[in-house]
């Protein structure tokens, strides 16, 4: 769990984000909920492949929404 937490926090810092501005979006993207058990425990239970798939899907959805908004939709 500590290793997962470190990876998430370092990735956030590389993108200029810390604390809740990192963990909250990761929680919503991976669980679909804003609150729940410890995030890093959840990520461990879900497993690397499932977490990556869910994060990838969340990114795709966000990009599609941004593109739609930019197109005036």
């Amino acid at each position: 769990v500590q290793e997962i937490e470190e990876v998430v926090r370092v990735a956030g810092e590389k993108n200029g984000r810390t604390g809740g501005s990192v963990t909250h979006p990761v929680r919503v993207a991976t669980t679909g909920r804003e609150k729940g058990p410890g995030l890093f425990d959840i990520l461990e239970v879900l497993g690397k492949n499932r977490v990556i798939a869910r994060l990838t899907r969340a990114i795709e959805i966000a990009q599609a929404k941004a593109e739609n908004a930019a197109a005036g939709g």
Side-chain angles (χ1 to χ4, degrees):
V1 173
Q2 289 177 329
E3 185 177 318
I4 295 169
E5 182 175 356
E6 181 66 19
V7 168
V8 171
R9 294 200 188 282
V10 167
E13 289 172 5
K14 285 183 180 179
N15 289 288
R17 301 195 175 262
T18 59
S21 69
V22 175
T23 58
H24 185 73
V26 171
R27 177 185 296 281
V28 172
T30 56
T31 68
R33 298 178 183 261
E34 294 184 8
K35 296 180 182 179
L39 173 62
F40 306 110
D41 295 319
I42 292 170
L43 297 181
E44 182 176 50
V45 170
L46 289 173
K48 181 179 179 178
N49 291 336
R50 188 174 288 166
V51 169
I52 290 171
R54 290 182 182 191
L55 290 172
T56 300
R57 182 67 182 134
I59 291 167
E60 291 168 352
I61 291 168
Q63 288 174 333
K65 285 184 177 183
E67 290 170 3
N68 187 35

